[in-house]
Amino acid sequence: MHHLPPLIAPQQFDDAAAALAHARLIYDSSIAHLRLGMQRFVVGDDSAGPVRAFYPLVRIRNDTVLRQLAGAKERLSYGFVAGPGVFETTLTRPDLFNNYYLEQFRLLLLNHGVTLEVTTSKQPIPVHFSFAENDHIEGSLSAERRQRMRDWFDLPDLGAMDDGIANGTYQPQPGRPLPLALFTAARMDYSLHRLRHYTGTVPEHFQNFVLFTNYQFYIDEFIRLGHELMQETKSDYSAFIEPGNVVTRRVGEAAQAADALGKAPPRLPQMPAYHLVRPDGNGITMVNIGVGPANAKNITDHIAVLRPHAWLMLGHCAGLRNGQQLGDYVLAHAYVREDHVLDEELPLWVPIPALAEVQVALEQAVAEVTGLHGAELKQIMRTGTVATTDNRNWELLPDNQPQRRFSQSRAVALDMESATIAANGFRFRVPYGTLLCVSDKPLHGEIKLPGMANHFYRERVDQHLRIGIRALELLRGGGVNQLHSRKLRSFAEVAFQ
């Protein structure tokens, strides 16, 4: 018999804030119960028996295909269910997702006029997901005691955290409720813990607009720019955060208690993240994903649970056209996917469309930062297809097969990450875009040489980064509701953004 937390009765709500408060009551009670159980387990106290707690759950019951007029007037691509039925999802970290959940609850009430039922689910919370940020109590256990954790607590169950809903392959059993969200609570918790590991910063610091790069040069420039902005009293950004949760506050901003816990790591994590923070969460996060589509898929798999408003890829590419010059920009409007890491989740026959709002913002940002317009702008920026490969030495393959395919696709540039990031944005309903900079032309004998490359990077990185930042600022200024396009959503889409 498992030792359970005190029962909290389910309740019905017609107010989003009250519904979320009840979900938080259930969640906090469950987490406190698991933490107490773990503390007793660590000191060898076996008197309480196995310990278990469950995620909170929100459910609605809808009986019509019609939406209320007030909800329909908002013209959003999310916030409503596809038709009659029972819909539900488990919830986690209501502290972290407070604003997100409030908005989803508000829209459900607005669109359907139903009540929100908040109750305790039947999905156990793995004990690993109950630890506080600075808890490391399991490290004091002996090997034998760690093995016994399986007898005492629920451990992560991969069967409860796959991406079937996002992939469109989930089939609920007859009579079972339909999903309200792309991710279950356990899937979200799994990614939150992975983000700490890969990026060296806690999920709370991630912002709603994300830049990805494959070169440390861009990160070095972002760090320099971040510290410069912290010296400006009128900056839109209130803090700059680096791996190890090292916080630099804007001049005049008071330090917060958690700032003292930040400590630069002895070595950088695999994919370090840096955050220009705004109080509303609509700042900019930049991640150095390193090289290759596996990394690109890995980090976007996890950042997707934070439901960002947009992510962009800024990186270098091989120019495939003779007329291109080193330093030219490529704005991707289509992708050739030879990365192979998403073939099972997103078949190759699925098109990855360009998103108009993102394309316009990127082109406008290039014009603003470079000061070029019209024909002059076209001299340095090419719009076209970007091919992404998982083979860094594709040039060496026999019979020129890759070259033939890239030519047939009309590709103008090639890299190892962009199509993966765009495809995962499509898969997870996160608006995406790509602006690359030509750093070599292997088909035309212009390969990277150390001295030339270093000079090129110094010349172009600052401008390229400022273009990416400006594009995100334009997207933010245009209103985030305009970003979440219907072209990213399926026939019978979940309600949550």
Side-chain angles (χ1 to χ4, degrees):
M1 178 70 72
H2 284 88
H3 182 52
L4 305 175
L7 177 65
I8 298 177
Q11 291 190 32
Q12 305 276 344
F13 298 93
D14 57 11
D15 176 79
L20 184 56
H22 194 65
R24 185 162 188 169
L25 179 66
I26 295 171
Y27 180 81
D28 289 348
S29 174
S30 295
I31 294 299
H33 179 72
L34 289 174
R35 288 179 180 173
L36 179 59
M38 175 55 77
Q39 290 166 7
R40 297 177 68 172
F41 180 78
V42 167
V43 299
D45 181 0
D46 293 346
S47 61
V51 176
R52 171 173 282 176
F54 301 90
Y55 287 108
L57 175 145
V58 63
R59 177 187 296 125
I60 71 164
R61 303 175 189 274
N62 185 47
D63 59 6
T64 176
V65 297
L66 300 177
R67 292 165 56 194
Q68 295 203 130
L69 182 61
K73 282 184 176 179
E74 293 215 1
R75 301 183 62 82
L76 296 175
S77 62
Y78 59 91
F80 52 91
V81 297
V86 179
F87 302 81
E88 66 183 31
T89 189
T90 48
L91 307 171
T92 189
R93 293 295 306 277
D95 58 325
L96 176 62
F97 292 105
N98 179 79
N99 293 338
Y100 171 73
Y101 284 150
L102 275 177
E103 176 68 358
Q104 310 316 307
F105 289 3
R106 180 189 74 83
L107 289 171
L108 286 173
L109 293 169
L110 186 67
N111 278 298
H112 300 292
V114 296
T115 57
L116 303 175
E117 180 183 349
V118 179
T119 185
T120 302
S121 74
K122 296 180 180 179
Q123 181 60 52
I125 302 176
V127 70
H128 297 76
F129 299 159
S130 72
F131 296 165
E133 174 58 31
N134 295 292
D135 280 353
H136 303 286
I137 53 179
E138 78 283 4
S140 61
L141 297 174
S142 67
E144 180 183 359
R145 195 71 174 162
R146 281 198 298 272
Q147 282 188 318
R148 288 206 63 198
M149 282 180 64
R150 292 181 177 275
D151 298 328
W152 276 74
F153 301 98
D154 291 290
L155 303 188
D157 175 12
L158 295 181
M161 56 182 72
D162 65 42
D163 284 328
I165 301 172
N167 293 342
T169 58
Y170 173 73
Q171 294 291 332
Q173 297 178 357
R176 294 290 300 159
L178 297 166
L180 269 177
L182 291 177
F183 304 107
T184 64
R187 168 67 171 83
M188 295 172 78
D189 271 339
Y190 181 79
S191 282
L192 297 180
H193 280 254
R194 292 290 83 197
L195 285 174
R196 292 186 182 93
H197 171 73
Y198 286 116
T199 71
T201 56
V202 296
E204 287 84 343
H205 296 322
F206 277 77
Q207 301 296 289
N208 285 322
F209 293 90
V210 184
L211 292 173
F212 297 111
T213 188
N214 52 5
Y215 278 94
Q216 183 62 31
F217 294 95
Y218 287 83
I219 296 297
D220 294 341
E221 192 62 27
F222 193 68
I223 293 171
R224 185 188 67 78
L225 180 62
H227 285 289
E228 279 186 4
L229 289 171
M230 293 306 99
Q231 299 305 311
E232 299 179 9
T233 56
K234 295 184 179 180
S235 171
D236 288 340
Y237 304 99
S238 58
F240 181 64
I241 301 174
E242 302 174 64
N245 303 307
V246 176
V247 180
T248 302
R249 298 282 170 190
R250 186 181 60 201
V251 170
E253 289 281 321
Q256 298 182 10
D259 293 358
L261 299 175
K263 183 180 180 182
R267 64 190 64 84
L268 285 176
Q270 184 176 349
M271 289 180 273
Y274 302 78
H275 314 277
L276 269 174
V277 176
R278 280 171 49 114
D280 61 1
N282 286 332
I284 298 173
T285 286
M286 189 166 197
V287 184
N288 181 1
I289 63 176
V291 176
N295 279 4
K297 178 185 183 298
N298 186 9
I299 196 64
T300 49
D301 279 350
H302 300 313
I303 291 179
V305 307
L306 299 174
R307 309 314 296 140
H309 293 313
W311 60 41
L312 304 179
M313 176 65 191
L314 300 183
H316 293 154
C317 65
L320 300 181
R321 299 302 178 93
N322 192 41
Q324 291 171 312
Q325 303 294 322
L326 300 188
D328 284 357
Y329 294 115
V330 174
L331 174 59
H333 75 177
Y335 301 89
V336 173
R337 295 168 50 204
E338 293 200 2
D339 53 345
H340 300 121
V341 294
L342 279 168
D343 293 0
E344 293 183 10
E345 289 93 343
L346 193 68
L348 287 173
W349 50 261
V350 176
I352 309 300
L355 304 181
E357 297 83 1
V358 178
Q359 299 296 95
V360 169
L362 280 167
E363 182 170 354
Q364 183 178 339
V366 175
E368 288 186 17
V369 174
T370 64
L372 302 176
H373 299 84
E376 290 183 323
L377 181 62
K378 290 183 179 181
Q379 290 294 316
I380 67 159
M381 186 179 74
R382 180 86 177 249
T383 301
T385 297
V386 170
T388 291
T389 179
D390 59 354
N391 186 342
R392 178 60 187 85
N393 297 311
W394 59 273
E395 309 101 308
L396 306 181
L397 292 175
D399 301 326
N400 294 324
Q401 291 181 10
Q403 296 180 37
R404 186 180 302 115
R405 291 196 300 275
F406 298 151
S407 178
Q408 289 173 324
S409 71
R410 313 299 193 267
V412 299
L414 179 138
D415 79 345
M416 297 186 69
E417 299 86 19
S418 293
T420 311
I421 288 171
N424 241 9
F426 182 89
R427 183 164 74 109
F428 291 130
R429 290 71 161 172
V430 177
Y432 50 85
T434 301
L435 184 72
L436 301 176
C437 189
V438 176
S439 61
D440 64 332
K441 295 169 58 183
L443 297 183
H444 307 95
E446 296 188 47
I447 62 174
K448 294 179 184 176
L449 298 173
M452 182 179 69
N454 288 336
H455 175 75
F456 163 78
Y457 295 146
R458 286 194 300 269
E459 289 289 316
R460 264 292 183 257
V461 166
D462 174 70
Q463 184 183 83
H464 195 185
L465 176 60
R466 290 179 181 275
I467 289 170
I469 291 174
R470 181 58 184 148
L472 292 180
E473 291 173 344
L474 290 169
L475 292 172
R476 182 175 65 213
V480 296
N481 288 340
Q482 303 301 315
L483 280 171
H484 299 283
S485 171
R486 282 179 170 80
K487 70 175 66 171
L488 294 183
R489 302 180 73 82
S490 61
F491 299 151
E493 189 62 64
V494 297
F496 281 21
Q497 175 253 314

